[in-house]
């Protein structure tokens, strides 16, 4: 979500904008940033992302009292284990999500799990601020009824700030109101008093979801399969094909033999990995060996 500042004085607005451009971002700095975020998170930043990079990282420079991106980047490179790497990565991560986004996936998930006799385990690999894993949890409750208490959604993301928001389960009411009234009444508590205008997912939903930080480029993942389904939607578009192929290869042994992999609407894994075969619109199953 892009937030715009409001001002009443045009002169003050112009002055503020000028101050924001006092920081120095050279071509060499931008190249270094692209290299560092690729090494750290596998994210490929396109040339046209320069303004986004400036606006997001400028806050980190000001936090440290710096005026040159080169100084900030040098500090990062000198301290490979510094906490600031987390803030750097968070700043360059895009969190665009919504409840029941790409809605055609959720009836497919319901159909896939409704006859399961054992516990159902699902991994949401790009949890962002929580809307997607909570949508999965709601689908589990609607489909499995009392048996949903045995189900689990593991929700991971590289952005620790987004995960912190996800754990609270609190969202603007205008966002929640896009859902149908039945789901709103069943799965949300509307705020009152100081919380008016907000809604929180009910405990029966949040209890099914476990949030964990995870970098898909990390040598070890803090998740254990096998999963009935993996949601990896709208994150592969930020990786190059080689990185995509490596991640898909690691997904394969974490899926149950009849498990499903859900991709984003603009993602196509058919020509990237031999591990999976297309089953339907952005839905994959394991390819025969």
């Amino acid at each position: 979500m892009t937030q715009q500042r409001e001002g009443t004085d045009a002169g003050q607005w112009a002055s503020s904008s000028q101050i924001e451009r006092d920081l120095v971002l050279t071509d060499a700095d931008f190249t270094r940033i692209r290299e560092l975020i690729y090494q750290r998170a596998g994210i490929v930043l396109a040339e046209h992302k320069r303004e986004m990079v400036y606006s997001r990282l400028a806050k980190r420079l000001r936090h440290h009292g710096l005026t040159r991106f080169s100084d900030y980047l040098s500090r990062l490179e000198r301290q490979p284990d510094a906490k600031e790497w987390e803030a750097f990565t968070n700043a360059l991560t895009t969190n665009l999500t919504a409840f029941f986004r790409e809605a055609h996936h959720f009836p497919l998930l319901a159909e896939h799990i409704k006859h399961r006799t054992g516990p159902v385990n699902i991994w949401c690999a790009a949890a962002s601020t929580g809307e997607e894993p909570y949508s999965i949890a709601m689908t589990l409750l609607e489909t499995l009824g009392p048996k949903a208490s045995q189900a689990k959604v593991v929700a991971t993301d590289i952005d620790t700030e987004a995960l912190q928001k996800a754990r609270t389960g609190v969202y603007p009411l205008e966002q929640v109101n896009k859902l149908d009234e039945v789901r709103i009444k069943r799965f949300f508590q509307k705020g009152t008093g100081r919380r008016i205008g907000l809604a929180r997912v009910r405990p029966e939903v949040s209890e099914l979801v476990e949030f964990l930080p995870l970098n898909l480029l990390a040598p070890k993942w803090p998740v254990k399969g096998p999963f009935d389904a993996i949601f990896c939607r709208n994150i592969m578009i930020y990786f190059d094909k080689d990185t995509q192929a490596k991640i898909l290869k690691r997904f394969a042994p974490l899926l149950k033999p009849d498990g499903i992999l859900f991709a984003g609407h603009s993602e196509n894994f058919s020509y990237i990995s031999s591990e999976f075969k297309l089953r339907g619109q952005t839905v994959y199953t394991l390819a025969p060996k």
Side-chain angles (χ1 to χ4, degrees), residues 111-126:
E111 183 66 25
H112 181 61
I113 65 173
K114 69 179 182 180
H115 298 304
R116 300 272 159 167
T117 56
V120 173
N121 295 306
I122 298 173
W123 178 18
C124 175

Side-chain angles (χ1 to χ4, degrees), residues 57 60 72 83-92 160-161:
L57 287 183
R60 301 310 306 163
Y72 174 72
K83 186 74 172 176
E84 183 60 27
W85 277 106
E86 186 175 299
F88 172 80
T89 303
N90 289 349
L92 297 178
T160 54
E161 291 180 2

Side-chain angles (χ1 to χ4, degrees), residues 49-207:
K49 297 290 187 180
R50 182 170 180 144
E51 287 303 310
M52 180 208 77
V53 167
Y54 180 97
S55 63
R56 293 186 181 183
L57 287 183
K59 298 174 184 178
R60 301 310 306 163
L61 268 71
R62 294 195 179 93
H63 175 77
H64 293 290
L66 302 172
T67 58
R68 296 190 304 178
F69 280 79
S70 58
D71 293 336
Y72 174 72
L73 298 173
S74 294
R75 179 181 293 190
L76 279 177
E77 290 173 322
R78 287 196 304 268
Q79 304 174 52
D81 299 320
K83 186 74 172 176
E84 183 60 27
W85 277 106
E86 186 175 299
F88 172 80
T89 303
N90 289 349
L92 297 178
T93 302
T94 299
N95 294 297
L96 178 62
T97 186
F99 290 107
F100 292 93
R101 186 184 183 194
E102 299 183 41
H104 68 283
H105 282 161
F106 296 94
L108 291 173
L109 174 65
E111 183 66 25
H112 181 61
I113 65 173
K114 69 179 182 180
H115 298 304
R116 300 272 159 167
T117 56
V120 173
N121 295 306
I122 298 173
W123 178 18
C124 175
S128 186
T129 47
E131 290 90 335
E132 183 171 294
Y134 287 135
S135 298
I136 296 169
M138 293 177 213
T139 302
L140 293 175
L141 287 162
E142 291 171 342
T143 307
L144 300 176
K147 290 194 298 183
S149 61
Q150 303 175 43
K152 181 179 180 182
V153 181
V154 179
T156 65
D157 202 281
I158 194 173
D159 189 333
T160 54
E161 291 180 2
L163 285 178
Q164 189 56 41
K165 180 178 179 180
R167 290 187 184 100
T168 69
V170 176
Y171 301 93
L173 192 56
E174 62 264 24
Q175 183 179 349
V176 174
N177 281 340
K178 296 176 183 177
L179 300 174
D180 64 74
E181 192 63 30
V182 173
R183 278 177 170 157
I184 295 173
K185 288 182 178 180
R186 179 175 178 183
F187 297 127
F188 291 88
Q189 298 169 318
K190 293 183 179 180
T192 59
R194 290 185 300 173
R195 292 282 184 173
I196 198 164
L198 298 173
R200 182 175 63 188
V201 295
R202 291 186 182 274
E204 66 174 302
V205 179
S206 59
E207 287 170 359

Side-chain angles (χ1 to χ4, degrees), residues 217-270:
L217 264 65
K220 292 184 179 180
W221 291 344
V223 296
K224 293 182 179 180
F227 294 102
D228 296 271
I230 296 176
F231 280 70
C232 184
R233 307 193 305 173
N234 305 303
I235 183 173
M236 291 291 209
I237 54 175
Y238 299 106
F239 302 142
D240 59 26
K241 283 185 170 55
D242 182 56
T243 302
Q244 291 174 5
K246 290 176 181 176
I247 292 171
L248 289 170
K249 189 171 184 178
R250 295 177 69 182
F251 279 161
L254 294 176
L255 263 183
K256 291 181 180 179
D258 63 343
I260 297 177
L261 172 65
F262 292 97
H265 67 279
S266 61
E267 297 169 324
N268 187 338
F269 302 157
S270 298

